[in-house]
Amino acid sequence: MIIADVTFIGLGLMGTALARTAIKAGFETVVWNRTPEKVVPLVEQGARYFENVAKAISESPIIVVCVSGYDVSDTILRVPEVEAALKGRTLIQLTSGSTRLARNAALWAGAIGVRYVDGGIEGYPATIGKDDSMFIISGDEQGYQQAQPLLRTLAPVLHYLGDDPTRASAMYSAMLSGSFGLIFGVMNAVAICEATGISIEQYLQVVGPVFKTDIDLVTEMAQKCDEDNLDKTEAYLSVWNETLVPIIETLSDGGCNTELPTLMHEMLNRAEKEGLAKHDLAALIEMIRPGKTDKI
């Protein structure tokens, strides 16, 4: 007999934040974790706990999994007793992983009669349930609709990308790619400032307005890629490539690591050899698209 609205599997920092937010919002909540002591604060707040994971799953129509990796998730879920308990339920997988892992999980879930929904969390545990918390979701539409009230409670900004279970993972990776690019770039900038005696305060004062311009620039570049409009520009790819040389030299002279700008320089050199020197910098996409891995 179903007694709860949702069962949360995995009570790390993020899993605990998800469960705590659901409890506060009034959802009847069951929790389970491999190390039982982590359930204690949530039980004190109103959650129910069952030592047996299959029993915990059987008590709710919606199961939310948030663990350290798909390998851990598989260890917990892909056993006969648990698979039997999952049948007919909606599984929300909020564990980070690749599109391949999401696809394999969806195939497994479909084979045992489970509605599979994959998701990515944009934010930190402290932001769960707040106005700017965002989930990227894809997978079984019926399962998504069933879980939508819960998901919107956990993340008011909710993007459903359709029934392809791999799209949430792909979008999450795409988002993080932009974030990592910015973070790595700024860390190189900090190293240059430290090596040359420029204060970080001065750097931030100068680059603040530039960051806003860069948002417009990369948005325009993404649109050019989408439209395959890569040969019109006011700044050739070759010109951008030349600006990497002093960056590399300055980092090197300061005794800093030059791997990142060197990699960029090498990729743009290959792009020039491919005949893209007079194209927009967005033509770099041609060195990343399928069929170009032999050139990297």
Side-chain angles (χ1 to χ4, degrees):
M1 181 177 69
I2 291 177
I3 63 168
D5 298 311
V6 58
T7 293
F8 288 93
I9 305 296
L11 299 174
L13 292 176
M14 184 60 78
T16 296
L18 294 170
R20 182 172 57 243
T21 302
I23 295 166
K24 288 183 178 180
F27 290 91
E28 292 293 330
T29 301
V30 172
V31 294
W32 182 89
N33 194 67
R34 289 179 296 173
T35 50
E37 59 266 22
K38 287 190 176 181
V39 311
V40 174
L42 294 169
V43 170
E44 291 173 349
Q45 294 170 43
R48 300 191 65 172
Y49 166 66
F50 296 92
E51 184 177 357
N52 181 276
V53 64
K55 176 63 175 174
I57 287 170
S58 70
E59 300 299 330
S60 308
I62 299 171
I63 315 302
V64 177
V65 179
C66 184
V67 292
S68 59
Y70 274 72
D71 55 341
V72 175
S73 176
D74 290 348
T75 298
I76 296 169
L77 302 179
R78 297 197 189 195
V79 295
E81 181 187 17
V82 176
E83 290 178 339
L86 281 169
K87 186 175 182 180
R89 287 168 168 74
T90 293
L91 176 63
I92 312 291
Q93 179 60 274
L94 295 180
T95 299
S96 297
S98 68
T99 54
R100 182 192 307 119
L101 292 173
R103 182 182 299 107
N104 290 342
L107 290 171
W108 160 78
I112 64 171
V114 174
R115 292 180 291 273
Y116 181 82
V117 179
D118 198 85
I121 302 172
E122 172 61 21
Y124 294 100
T127 66
I128 294 300
K130 296 184 178 178
D131 289 345
D132 57 350
S133 180
M134 180 170 70
F135 285 2
I136 308 295
I137 300 292
S138 67
D140 186 274
E141 185 172 2
Q142 182 182 350
Y144 166 70
Q145 294 297 340
Q146 179 189 19
Q148 191 177 32
L150 170 68
L151 293 173
R152 285 204 181 278
T153 298
L154 302 176
V157 183
L158 192 60
H159 296 282
Y160 177 62
L161 304 182
D163 60 5
D164 182 340
T166 69
R167 286 187 176 176
S169 177
M171 179 64 80
Y172 191 61
S173 293
M175 290 171 54
L176 284 178
S177 291
S179 298
F180 273 119
L182 178 60
I183 292 167
F184 271 70
V186 170
M187 292 304 99
N188 271 269
V190 168
I192 290 173
C193 291
E194 291 176 345
T196 58
I198 297 173
S199 72
I200 302 304
E201 182 181 2
Q202 286 177 316
Y203 166 69
L204 293 175
Q205 287 175 349
V206 171
V207 302
V210 177
F211 282 156
K212 295 178 182 179
T213 303
D214 284 345
I215 293 173
D216 294 334
L217 173 65
V218 296
T219 299
E220 180 183 354
M221 289 175 61
Q223 291 170 339
K224 286 184 175 182
C225 292
D226 185 47
E227 298 164 0
D228 202 25
N229 180 24
L230 304 174
D231 59 347
K232 296 179 181 179
T233 184
E234 295 184 52
Y236 293 145
L237 181 147
S238 60
V239 174
W240 281 94
N241 193 17
E242 290 172 5
T243 66
L244 285 166
V245 175
I247 294 175
I248 295 168
E249 291 180 352
T250 302
L251 284 167
S252 179
D253 291 346
C256 302
N257 187 303
T258 64
E259 289 177 86
L260 184 63
T262 298
L263 172 62
M264 295 177 180
H265 191 40
E266 290 173 351
M267 290 186 70
L268 290 179
N269 283 340
R270 288 192 286 271
E272 289 194 43
K273 291 178 181 178
E274 288 284 306
L276 301 173
K278 301 297 185 182
H279 286 58
D280 189 83
L281 181 58
L284 175 63
I285 189 65
E286 298 291 5
M287 307 307 296
I288 304 173
R289 282 173 169 159
K292 295 295 182 180
T293 54
D294 59 325
K295 300 181 183 298
I296 304 303

